[in-house]
């Protein structure tokens, strides 16, 4: 049989925030590549619906409800995955919230940091020993285009996502000697339910597409394909990187 560098057969993955949007697309793509996938969400009903849909499509997918700000729930997610599938090879930390636009309210700041950064620190600490034991694992942290540029509207979110990118670099250095790769993805404007209000704003879209060399909005599949790449042997010598999936928005001045 020919070597397939994108094959994930025999691998087990956890994807957080995976009942809709990018997270669900990532879970589906990893499963299509052959991985066993544990999806998670704090919404039990959405979790059951997503897991059932993926299983009906023939994928080996299970779900565990998890509030990522709850340390005990994170431990249950990791241990439940290892118990069900026999190990852990891939972790995709996707769960996140935007917070209040333009706000410096410290309560909102704390919530955003707890979900978007602190939870990833806690989850990776629990998962990485299991991933290292697999012998060739991959961790993918969801950052954002907001981490690469100044932003006056989503202050705490941008700060947290910049922290996520630095966390990927730190973990890559710490866990590289144990054959674990850690990278971050920085999506730009992606067509999801969360971005629908922006996409409905004609003036915003005119400016954004002018600043995007590919002149289109990204798709969930664009991000999911990058996750498959980073989870697979195809990216075997890539670690500690933040890869922008933004159609080039981050590299142009819009001219």
């Amino acid at each position: 049989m020919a070597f397939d560098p994108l094959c994930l057969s025999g691998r087990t993955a956890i994807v957080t925030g995976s009942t809709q949007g990018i997270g669900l697309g990532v879970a589906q793509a990893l499963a299509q590549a052959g991985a066993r996938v544990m999806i998670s969400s704090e919404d039990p009903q959405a979790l059951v619906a997503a897991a059932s849909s993926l299983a009906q499509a023939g994928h080996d997918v299970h779900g565990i409800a998890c509030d990522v700000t709850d340390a005990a729930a994170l431990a249950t997610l990791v241990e439940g995955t290892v118990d069900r599938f026999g190990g852990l090879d891939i972790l995709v930390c996707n769960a996140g919230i935007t917070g209040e636009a333009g706000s410096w309210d410290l309560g909102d700041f704390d919530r955003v940091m707890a979900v978007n950064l602190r939870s990833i620190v806690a989850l990776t600490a629990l998962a990485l020993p299991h991933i290292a034991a697999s012998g060739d694992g991959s961790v993918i942290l969801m950052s954002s285009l907001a981490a690469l540029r100044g932003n006056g509207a989503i202050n705490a979110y941008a700060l947290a996502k910049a922290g996520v990118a630095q966390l990927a670099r730190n973990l890559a250095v710490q866990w590289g000697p144990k054959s674990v790769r850690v990278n971050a993805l920085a999506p730009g404007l992606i067509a999801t339910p969360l971005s629908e209000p922006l996409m409905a704003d004609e003036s915003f879209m005119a400016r954004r597409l002018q600043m995007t060399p590919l002149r289109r909005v990204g798709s969930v599949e664009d991000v999911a394909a990058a996750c498959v790449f980073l989870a697979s042997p195809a990216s075997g010598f890539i670690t500690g990187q933040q890869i922008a999936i933004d159609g080039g928005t981050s590299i142009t001045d819009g001219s």
Side-chain angles (χ1 to χ4, degrees):
M1 181 180 295
F3 171 62
D4 182 354
L6 294 173
C7 179
L8 298 177
S9 180
R11 303 255 179 190
T12 295
I14 291 174
V15 184
T16 64
S18 45
T19 58
Q20 62 178 341
I22 289 174
L24 181 58
V26 169
Q28 182 177 27
L30 295 177
Q32 288 173 338
R36 301 177 292 260
V37 182
M38 183 67 73
I39 64 173
S40 72
S41 167
E42 64 180 352
D43 183 339
Q45 291 184 331
L47 186 65
V48 170
S52 176
S53 176
L54 291 169
Q56 287 175 7
H59 303 310
D60 192 356
V61 174
H62 187 65
I64 293 178
C66 179
D67 174 353
V68 295
T69 64
D70 183 331
L74 291 175
T76 296
L77 175 61
V78 172
E79 296 303 327
T81 301
V82 172
D83 288 347
R84 183 173 183 87
F85 293 127
L88 179 60
D89 308 278
I90 301 160
L91 173 64
V92 182
C93 294
N94 173 73
I97 59 175
T98 303
E100 298 176 13
S103 172
W104 279 116
D105 174 78
L106 289 182
D108 180 68
F109 178 89
D110 288 343
R111 285 189 295 273
V112 171
M113 287 293 176
V115 174
N116 291 7
L117 182 56
R118 191 181 189 281
S119 72
I120 296 178
V121 174
L123 180 53
T124 52
L126 293 167
L128 275 163
H130 294 286
I131 296 172
S134 76
D136 183 22
S138 176
V139 176
I140 303 164
L141 310 183
M142 205 61 69
S143 182
S144 170
L145 174 62
L148 298 172
R149 309 188 304 179
N151 194 307
I154 46 177
N155 305 315
Y157 178 85
L159 283 171
K161 292 301 187 177
V164 167
Q166 183 59 40
L167 178 62
R169 290 186 283 266
N170 290 352
L171 293 178
V173 171
Q174 294 167 11
W175 289 89
K178 297 184 179 180
S179 298
V180 179
R181 296 177 294 106
V182 186
N183 293 285
L185 290 177
L189 181 60
I190 306 297
T192 67
L194 187 64
S195 65
E196 286 178 356
L198 289 175
M199 294 174 62
D201 184 333
E202 292 184 4
S203 62
F204 169 83
M205 289 302 298
R207 293 192 306 273
R208 187 54 172 265
L209 293 181
Q210 178 61 35
M211 292 183 64
T212 303
L214 290 184
R215 296 295 193 268
R216 70 173 177 89
V217 173
S219 69
V220 167
E221 290 76 15
D222 290 325
V223 183
C227 282
V228 172
F229 170 70
L230 289 177
S232 74
S235 61
F237 204 49
I238 298 174
T239 195
Q241 304 304 305
Q242 180 175 216
I243 301 174
I245 309 174
D246 67 349
T249 306
S250 57
I251 56 90
T252 179
D253 63 2
S255 60

